[in-house]
Structures are given as structure tokens and as C-alpha cells.
Amino acid sequence: MRRFRIFQNSRGLLLILLLFISVVRHAYGVEGKIAFTSNRDGERAIYLMDGDGQNPIKLTEGNMPAWLPDGETIGFLYGGDIWMIDREGTDRRNITKGRFKETILYPDWSPDGSKIVYWSRVGGNFGTPDIYVMDADGRNPKNLTDDLHYDDSPSWSPDGRNVAFAAYLRPRGNRVESEIFVMDAKGDNRVNLTQNPRAKSRQVSWSPDGTRIAYSASPKPFLWSSPYNIYVVNADGTDPVLLTAPERWAYEYHPCWSPDSKKIAFSKYTPDGFHDIFTMNADGSELTNITQTHRVSEGYPAWSPAPQAVSSQGRLATRWGEVKQGTRLSATAK
């Protein structure tokens, strides 16, 4: 009889859990939301839309949106600083508060929300950009790469243990060659994933399931002018695959993954001389223009994470709530 009661209780808990997941998925949306940059109102601003491009709303002025792990907050760049804002467009706050006079680009929050990895020109090495990491409140910056290479577009692994990034290695005549690397969160143990010295690779995005890395690359790295396509490579560097058609004027940038790792969004140069945001399946099929604006540039898509993202310590969003609250308190105290 006791075993039967345990079975009944377990079945009841399972039904409650399934009902909760259904409610969350309905409220959240199966494909989540995409934050992006657009100048449709005449200035660069952060917008939010459904995964199919519907219901776009303007949140705030800014550029390069990046989701925080709670799925409710968006980080972005504005006026040389890193800011955050809620997905409803409220509670806008400055994280770095002018501490960094140098350029900051490509901010990406660690899975537990405690760190921000980013691109910057601070320091020596003749002004070449490096990959840095700092606390989520904008303090304690540390140079992770610290070399003469032009390092670019960092992306955290889903477990928070590693960072993928691009590095421009070999300027040769009128072309610049670059590759995709992975290093641990301290900047050590770097591994070249692409191993393709005659290509130019940049703008990295690690899939939420941790198995693949998407990036933008040109097989003909003529200086700043060659077309770019979207590629995917396994996280161990095996099986690089070209996903998009190698058209002569295909300039495709800033790939990002859907929360279930089944789709990729990216910005693409269109014949009218501007950019739209496209989505496709992770195998390159079902390419779809989801913005279809004219004489407007839309870019830097960022797909919202799944609700209650798991941190690198294996804890749920309750841990992220502590980090977020601490960031707010420290920001208020300054």
C-alpha cells in the first residue's frame, strides 16, 4: 500500500511539473524572444521581437544586446558603457559608469551571471584589442588574452568553463587571416578550432547545448571586403560546415542560437544596401528573413535563453537572483 501511495504521489508531482512546464512554455514562447539593434527610428536602439520576427517593440537607445541568464534582463552598450534593462523596457541602469575610457564591445554574461567577458583596446600591445573579463558589477577587469593579436567577439561556453573567441593572426599583403580559438575562463589552454590559415573567421556564438560553435567566416580573406558566410563547427573543432550559400555579395554576421540549439539567427546584407535579420535551422535549411525592412539596418540578434537557466555550479536561477540583486545594490551605492 505504501508503494502505491508513493507511486501516486510521484505521478501527481510529475503531472504538476508537466503542467508547470507547459505554462512556462506558453508564457515564454517556444522560440523565446530575439533582442536586436535597429535604426528604424533614425537612431541605434535595442528592440525585442518574437522568434519569428513578429511584435517588435523598442526598449531603449543602445547597441549590441546580450541576454543575462535570467532571461528577463538585457545587457547592451550605450555611450561607451555597459548597461542593463529589463525586457519590459524598465529599470535601465549603467553597470560600468564611465570606469572604462577605452572602447568596449561584445559583452557576454557568464552562465551564472557573475562575470562579463568583453572586447577592449585597453592596455599595451600597441593598442591591439584583447579579450577581458570583469565582475558583473563592472569591477576587477582582467586581460585574458594579452597578446599582439586582434582578438574579437568572445562567447561563454554554457558551463562557464571556457570562452570561444576569434583572433586575427597573420596579416599578409592585402588580406588578414583569423581563426576561432577556445580558452579556459582564466585565459589559459588555448586551442585553435578552425585550423584554416587561409580564411578569416570572426563573431563567435556557442550553442546552448554546448556541442557546437557558430561563426561568420570568409574563405577569401581580402582586407575588409570579402563576403562572409555562417559556419558551424563542433566544440572540439571537428566537422566544420558551411551553412549558408556562398553568394558573391553574401555578408552574413553575428550568428546566435535559439534556446533549444535548433535554430540560428544572424544579420545579412541585403541588395538595398542595408541589413535584415534571418533565421534558419541549425543545418542551414529553412532560411527566412524575419525583419524584411527596407532602407533600415537591423543586426546583432540575441536570442533569449531558456527560463531558469542553469549556472555553471549546477544551481538554478535562484543563484542568479542573488548575483543580480548584489549588482543592483552595488550600483545603487555608488
Side-chain angles (χ1 to χ4, degrees):
M1 179 63 70
R2 183 182 177 187
R3 289 183 179 178
F4 180 71
R5 288 177 180 173
I6 292 175
F7 173 76
Q8 282 187 317
N9 292 338
S10 299
R11 185 171 63 177
L13 289 173
L14 178 60
L15 290 174
I16 292 173
L17 178 60
L18 291 174
L19 178 61
F20 173 76
I21 292 174
S22 176
V23 170
V24 168
R25 285 174 63 87
H26 176 73
Y28 173 76
V30 174
E31 293 186 346
K33 295 280 188 177
I34 296 177
F36 64 102
T37 302
S38 175
N39 64 354
R40 60 178 64 187
D41 285 340
E43 60 184 356
R44 282 189 174 184
I46 307 298
Y47 285 76
L48 195 62
M49 63 182 172
D50 296 339
D52 59 3
Q54 299 299 307
N55 304 312
I57 58 171
K58 180 179 177 180
L59 298 183
T60 184
E61 292 78 16
N63 193 22
M64 288 190 179
W67 288 88
L68 278 67
D70 63 350
E72 297 293 331
T73 312
I74 299 170
F76 62 98
L77 299 179
Y78 180 75
D81 279 315
I82 296 177
W83 296 65
M84 294 196 300
I85 194 169
D86 291 346
R87 63 189 293 168
E88 293 83 11
T90 61
D91 197 15
R92 174 177 161 133
R93 52 205 182 274
N94 189 333
I95 300 303
T96 52
K97 293 186 176 295
R99 298 190 193 103
F100 304 97
K101 303 299 182 182
E102 67 283 351
T103 303
I104 294 178
L105 296 175
Y106 300 109
D108 189 35
W109 274 255
S110 62
D112 66 359
S114 66
K115 301 286 184 180
I116 304 172
V117 69
Y118 61 99
W119 173 107
S120 178
R121 290 183 182 274
V122 69
N125 298 322
F126 302 99
T128 56
D130 286 310
I131 305 302
Y132 287 75
V133 68
M134 63 182 167
D135 296 339
D137 62 1
R139 297 183 179 276
N140 301 317
K142 177 186 176 183
N143 191 332
L144 295 182
T145 51
D146 196 15
D147 54 35
L148 291 173
H149 301 149
Y150 186 114
D151 301 314
D152 191 22
S153 60
S155 177
W156 286 100
S157 64
D159 62 7
R161 296 178 180 177
N162 297 289
V163 175
F165 66 101
Y168 290 68
L169 302 177
R170 291 168 292 271
R172 295 182 180 179
N174 66 342
R175 70 172 183 257
V176 177
E177 298 167 352
S178 57
E179 307 214 50
I180 305 302
F181 285 76
V182 169
M183 60 184 171
D184 63 34
K186 295 182 178 180
D188 300 325
N189 303 312
R190 298 181 203 177
V191 177
N192 186 335
L193 290 189
T194 46
Q195 297 285 339
N196 187 2
R198 297 190 61 80
K200 184 162 66 175
S201 305
R202 59 192 304 190
Q203 297 164 350
V204 186
S205 178
W206 210 310
S207 65
D209 64 11
T211 62
R212 290 162 293 174
I213 294 173
Y215 59 99
S216 176
S218 172
K220 298 178 180 180
F222 297 104
L223 187 61
W224 311 123
S225 62
S226 56
Y228 279 83
N229 294 108
I230 304 302
Y231 289 74
V232 166
V233 65
N234 290 335
D236 62 1
T238 60
D239 196 23
V241 177
L242 170 64
L243 295 184
T244 54
E247 303 166 359
R248 182 178 179 183
W249 301 108
Y251 295 92
E252 299 162 347
Y253 303 108
H254 313 121
C256 71
W257 295 83
S258 62
D260 59 5
S261 299
K262 293 182 178 180
K263 288 190 174 185
I264 296 173
F266 61 96
S267 61
K268 181 177 181 178
Y269 184 84
T270 55
D272 62 359
F274 296 86
H275 284 82
D276 275 330
I277 293 175
F278 287 71
T279 61
M280 62 183 171
N281 292 333
D283 62 2
S285 62
E286 297 186 18
L287 180 67
T288 304
N289 185 337
I290 64 170
T291 51
Q292 298 191 40
T293 49
H294 299 285
R295 305 197 66 79
V296 168
S297 284
E298 328 241 41
Y300 301 105
W303 224 314
S304 59
Q308 292 190 338
V310 178
S311 75
S312 59
Q313 284 77 29
R315 289 177 290 224
L316 294 178
T318 50
R319 167 59 182 153
W320 162 241
E322 295 170 7
V323 172
K324 183 178 178 183
Q325 181 66 19
T327 301
R328 286 186 177 180
L329 290 174
S330 61
T332 303
K334 295 166 190 169

